[in-house]
């Protein structure tokens, strides 16, 4: 059988090192799927139950491996379904390639079946977006798509009309300007580093500071040793954006943990008191938690020049790979007394005591913190933990401690729901044998619940922990605390997720009492095969900010006065939480 355009594309992806693809078939990609079938010994196809999950799985795969995540979908609705996951990749700057079909090339724009112009639809989400026009075009497009996804850290999209997928490979229509085999694969390790004079200028700013705070994000994940040395040298605490949670172990003496509504009080204190800020690999969006304008000098290390000065005024911007920049910067720094760091360490002792108290409570209904606090004790030192968006992100961020070679991620800037389970699919496929856990809410899990069957189909060792409170918890508290309104539209019809898991072929568990949490979680993690643990928790337990503002207090009081459901229970819960905090 003669080689077809789809074969060219699949073979070129393999040459680029692609060995895994997530997707869902359809008649708009039948030709492409035939090429996947005939090359299945070199490129593994993982069939999900919804295209959105394919895109999320590709993002998770990219985040946990640093390699290109690849997903595919059919024409029309299949391509539309990919979009949310692709926007997650865009917002968190992950290299992802989406391959979609299209209707017949000579019927495009003719209102034929599934004639959705995905090229136009993907214009905003992509850094590269091209339709394959024939066999002499195919390899060029693949090469450009892959190198652009890596180089610009974003989404590339290849659209292949249905008939062109099955065209025989031929040079009959090759333009003479399109020299055969002119395009090459590319792999260059990052060595970007700013000029030495600029590095010295940054060092001067840092050396002049007395209270230095270090703020790290995802771009510093490969820099654990360098960041620790930086904190030790300048005597300053390391505050972590959530995507940078794994930069340092959470019990490192150099870190105060996360920042913001789901961060720690010592991190807020460090930002409020510092006179110098070093930002490394983060474009953390919540500017209200950063030092106030004019309060602190700022040095920012960022590989993307467009992110320099995006969130905070910058005195010196260092564009380059964080590890390389820090390696050049550290010898220029003068050791400082660690008074500011010691103050943060003392505060962290109190914070950890508070988290221990909240995570070991015996109240009924069970508190959600009990679940993640107990889980933390049972995780392997190389576990991969994914979180969904919502209050579960708070419980996971505060009670799951990074240690060893653990990895952690969630949907950062997009903050979408439903990413947690597909992220774990990507992680489990990439790292068979490692412990993979996702912590999700009942709202997020229900959106892509069919992916439990994907875990079963591929025998993926994933433990899904669903915090079940029958409410969209984050939205509920936002309506009250941020808007001053009673909750509305957030109650969920209960689902028995343990029964759903059993129906899909996974092992289902239920926890309702805190004294049962450790035994059930231990059994679920030890089970050979996918598991789902539904933890039934108190819907009135708020994700308390590290430090509560006066405005938040006033909005909360306003919501209660306007008829918030279960107001007395909520007041009692918050009152007890604050009482324990004071004690």
């Amino acid at each position: 059988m003669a080689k077809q355009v789809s074969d060219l594309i699949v073979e070129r992806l393999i040459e680029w090192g692609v060995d895994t693809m997530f997707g869902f078939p359809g008649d708009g990609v039948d030709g492409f799927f035939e090429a996947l079938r005939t090359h299945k010994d070199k490129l593994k196809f993982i069939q999900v139950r919804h295209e959105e999950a394919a895109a999320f799985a590709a993002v998770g795969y990219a985040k946990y491996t640093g390699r290109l995540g690849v997903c595919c979908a059919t024409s029309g609705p299949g391509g539309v379904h990919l979009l949310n996951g692709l926007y997650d990749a865009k917002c968190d700057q992950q290299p992802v390639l989406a391959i979609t079909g299209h209707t017949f090339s000579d019927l495009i724009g003719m209102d034929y079946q599934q004639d959705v112009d995905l090229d136009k639809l993907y214009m905003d989400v992509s850094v590269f977006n091209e339709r394959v026009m024939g066999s002499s075009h195919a390899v060029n497009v693949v090469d450009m798509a892959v190198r652009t996804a890596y180089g610009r850290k974003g989404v590339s999209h290849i659209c292949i009309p249905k008939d062109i997928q099955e065209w025989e490979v031929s040079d009959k229509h090759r333009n003479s300007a399109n020299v055969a085999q002119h395009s090459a694969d590319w792999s260059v390790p990052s060595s970007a580093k700013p000029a030495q004079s600029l590095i010295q200028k940054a060092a001067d700013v840092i050396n002049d500071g007395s209270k230095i705070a270090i703020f790290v994000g995802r771009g510093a994940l490969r820099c654990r040793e360098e960041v620790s040395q930086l904190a030790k040298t300048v005597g300053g605490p390391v505050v972590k954006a959530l995507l940078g949670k794994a930069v340092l172990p959470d019990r490192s003496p150099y870190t105060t943990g996360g920042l913001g509504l789901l961060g720690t009080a010592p991190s807020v204190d460090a930002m409020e008191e510092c006179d110098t800020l070093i930002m490394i690999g983060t474009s953390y969006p919540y500017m209200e938690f950063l030092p106030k304008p004019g309060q602190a000098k700022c040095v920012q290390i960022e590989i993307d020049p467009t992110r320099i000065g995006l969130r905070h005024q910058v005195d010196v911007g260092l564009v380059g790979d964080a590890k390389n920049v820090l390696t050049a910067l550290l010898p220029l720094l003068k050791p400082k007394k660690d008074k500011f760091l010691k103050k943060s360490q003392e505060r962290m002792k109190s914070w950890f005591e508070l988290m221990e108290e909240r995570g070991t409570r015996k109240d009924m209904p069970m508190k959600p913190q009990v679940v993640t606090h107990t889980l933390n004790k049972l995780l392997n030192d190389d576990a991969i933990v994914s979180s969904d968006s919502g209050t579960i992100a708070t419980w996971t961020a505060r009670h799951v401690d990074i240690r060893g070679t653990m990895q952690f991620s969630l949907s950062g800037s997009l903050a979408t729901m439903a990413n947690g389970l597909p992220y774990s699919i990507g992680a489990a496929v990439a790292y068979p044998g490692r412990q993979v856990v996702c912590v999700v809410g009942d709202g997020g899990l229900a959106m892509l619940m069919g992916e439990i069957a994907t875990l079963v189909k591929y025998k993926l060792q994933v433990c899904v922990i669903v915090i079940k409170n029958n409410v969209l918890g984050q939205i509920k508290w936002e309506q009250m605390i941020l808007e001053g309104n009673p909750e509305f539209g957030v109650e969920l019809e209960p689902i028995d997720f343990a029964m759903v898991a059993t129906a899909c072929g996974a092992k289902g568990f239920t926890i309702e009492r805190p004294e049962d949490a450790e035994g059930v979680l231990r059994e679920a993690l030890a089970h050979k095969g996918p598991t789902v643990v539904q933890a039934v928790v108190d819907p009135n337990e708020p994700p308390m900010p590290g430090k509560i503002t006066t405005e938040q207090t006033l909005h909360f009081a306003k919501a209660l006065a306007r008829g918030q459901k279960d107001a007395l229970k909520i007041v009692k819960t918050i009152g007890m939480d604050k009482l324990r905090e004071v004690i």
Side-chain angles (χ1 to χ4, degrees):
M1 183 177 177
K3 186 174 290 189
Q4 299 179 344
V5 170
S6 291
D7 295 311
L8 279 182
I9 293 171
V10 171
E11 289 170 5
R12 194 57 174 168
L13 288 172
I14 292 170
E15 289 174 11
W16 272 97
V18 173
D19 59 12
T20 303
M21 185 178 299
F22 306 91
F24 196 82
D27 63 344
V29 282
D30 281 346
F32 183 71
F33 267 70
E34 173 59 12
L36 290 178
R37 184 188 71 82
T38 57
H39 294 81
K40 62 183 179 182
D41 58 328
K42 295 182 179 179
L43 199 163
K44 181 192 305 179
F45 172 71
I46 303 295
Q47 177 217 70
V48 296
R49 292 303 184 99
H50 193 287
E51 291 91 349
E52 183 178 0
F56 278 137
V59 179
Y61 183 93
K63 284 187 172 182
Y64 292 127
T65 66
R67 299 172 60 194
L68 183 72
V70 185
C71 56
C72 62
T74 189
S75 54
V80 173
H81 285 161
L82 287 177
L83 271 178
N84 194 45
L86 297 182
Y87 269 103
D88 187 40
K90 174 187 176 178
C91 292
D92 285 352
Q93 295 184 293
Q94 294 304 303
V96 168
L97 171 62
I99 299 173
T100 65
H102 205 331
T103 192
F104 298 98
S105 61
D106 55 357
L107 287 174
I108 293 174
M110 300 295 107
D111 289 335
Y112 193 71
Q113 185 183 33
Q114 295 191 342
D115 186 10
V116 177
D117 196 340
L118 297 176
D119 304 39
K120 292 180 181 177
L121 184 66
Y122 280 36
M123 286 175 65
D124 180 62
V125 77
S126 60
V127 293
F128 178 83
N129 180 21
E130 194 56 68
R131 184 184 301 172
V132 174
M133 304 300 290
S135 62
S136 58
H137 192 216
V139 171
N140 299 347
V141 171
V142 172
D143 286 354
M144 195 64 177
V146 175
R147 67 166 58 95
T148 307
Y150 274 128
R152 296 186 180 175
K153 301 184 184 301
V155 175
S156 284
H157 171 231
I158 297 176
C159 186
I160 322 169
K162 180 176 174 65
D163 52 331
I164 293 179
Q165 294 170 33
E166 300 178 0
W167 282 4
E168 290 187 6
V169 173
S170 170
D171 279 344
K172 180 179 179 181
H173 299 292
R174 179 182 291 273
N175 190 294
S176 60
N178 183 16
V179 178
Q181 299 181 344
H182 76 272
S183 184
D185 58 2
W186 161 86
S187 179
V188 180
S190 176
S191 58
K193 190 173 72 174
Q196 186 64 28
S197 60
L198 202 57
I199 296 175
Q200 182 62 60
K201 186 177 179 181
D204 292 341
V205 170
I206 296 169
N207 288 332
D208 287 342
S210 60
K211 295 181 179 180
I212 300 171
I214 303 161
F215 189 32
V216 297
R218 180 175 175 79
L221 284 177
R222 294 172 48 248
C223 309
R224 178 173 292 184
E225 183 178 338
E226 291 80 7
V227 170
S228 296
Q229 184 60 47
L230 176 63
K232 181 179 180 181
T233 301
V234 303
V238 178
V239 179
K240 301 189 292 185
L242 196 48
L243 289 179
K245 181 174 172 63
V247 172
L248 291 183
D250 280 299
R251 298 287 171 154
S252 164
Y254 299 121
T255 186
T256 53
L259 184 66
L261 292 175
L262 42 66
T264 73
S267 287
V268 176
D269 292 334
M271 286 296 178
E272 290 178 346
E273 297 171 6
C274 71
D275 62 21
T276 306
L277 175 65
I278 306 172
M279 298 178 67
I280 308 173
T282 179
S283 56
Y284 178 82
Y286 306 109
M287 294 169 280
E288 63 269 30
F289 292 100
L290 299 179
K292 299 297 183 286
Q295 170 194 326
K297 295 283 188 179
C298 180
V299 171
Q300 184 175 1
I301 301 171
E302 174 61 55
I303 199 166
D304 182 354
T306 67
R307 304 275 170 141
I308 297 288
L310 180 64
R311 308 298 188 201
H312 191 275
Q313 294 173 337
V314 171
D315 293 274
V316 183
L318 301 177
V319 179
D321 174 76
K323 193 176 187 73
N324 294 330
V325 174
L326 286 171
T327 300
L329 178 64
L330 283 167
L332 304 177
L333 300 179
K334 299 175 183 177
K336 295 181 182 295
K337 295 180 180 180
D338 58 358
K339 184 177 179 180
F340 191 47
L341 176 59
K342 284 184 175 179
K343 187 176 183 180
S344 296
Q345 290 171 340
E346 287 300 317
R347 288 167 169 168
M348 282 305 292
K349 289 180 182 178
S350 298
W351 178 263
F352 284 135
E353 289 171 0
L354 177 62
M355 292 301 101
E356 176 71 19
E357 192 281 328
R358 287 184 178 174
T360 55
R361 290 169 60 177
K362 301 301 181 183
D363 311 45
M364 286 294 292
M366 183 171 61
K367 301 300 180 182
Q369 303 97 309
V370 171
V371 183
T372 48
H373 190 84
T374 305
L375 170 68
N376 180 58
K377 297 185 292 184
L378 305 176
L379 292 173
N380 295 340
D381 286 353
D382 67 345
I384 302 175
V385 181
S386 299
S387 172
D388 221 290
S389 294
T391 55
I392 63 273
T394 302
W395 315 134
T396 308
R398 289 180 175 172
H399 293 274
V400 171
D401 291 338
I402 293 296
R403 53 191 179 271
T405 57
M406 286 174 63
Q407 294 190 65
F408 169 83
S409 199
L410 78 175
S411 176
S413 293
L414 187 63
T416 180
M417 297 171 66
N419 69 285
L421 177 51
Y423 269 29
S424 294
I425 291 173
V429 170
Y431 297 104
R434 284 180 69 170
Q435 187 183 61
V436 178
V437 177
C438 62
V439 183
V440 299
D442 43 3
L445 179 58
M447 289 180 174
L448 290 173
M449 194 159 51
E451 301 311 325
I452 296 172
T454 304
L455 299 180
V456 174
K457 179 181 177 74
Y458 295 100
K459 299 179 174 60
L460 299 178
Q461 192 69 36
V462 174
C463 180
V464 181
I465 298 171
V466 52
I467 305 298
K468 179 181 175 181
N469 55 10
N470 303 323
V471 69
L472 298 172
Q474 188 70 28
I475 302 170
K476 166 183 176 173
W477 295 108
E478 286 174 348
Q479 288 177 348
M480 295 175 62
I481 305 299
L482 300 184
E483 303 298 331
N485 298 322
E487 66 178 85
F488 181 76
V490 296
E491 292 187 3
L492 299 173
E493 184 66 19
I495 296 174
D496 190 326
F497 294 100
M499 290 186 67
V500 172
T502 301
C504 290
K507 180 75 171 177
F509 298 85
T510 299
I511 309 171
E512 294 183 309
R513 304 189 64 82
E515 58 266 29
D516 298 332
E518 182 170 347
V520 173
L521 288 171
R522 190 180 297 277
E523 183 181 355
L525 290 168
H527 180 75
K528 297 300 181 183
T531 55
V532 175
V533 180
Q534 65 172 354
V536 182
V537 302
D538 184 359
N540 293 316
E541 178 69 13
M544 303 282 283
K547 295 183 74 172
I548 299 174
T549 66
T550 301
E551 183 180 20
Q552 290 168 345
T553 303
L554 291 174
H555 282 168
F556 174 66
K558 182 178 178 182
L560 296 180
R562 297 181 67 185
Q564 167 62 37
K565 177 185 175 184
D566 294 329
L568 188 58
K569 292 180 181 178
I570 293 171
V571 169
K572 182 179 179 181
T573 299
I574 292 179
M576 291 302 295
D577 285 346
K578 293 306 295 180
L579 177 62
R580 287 181 170 91
E581 186 172 331
V582 171
I583 292 173

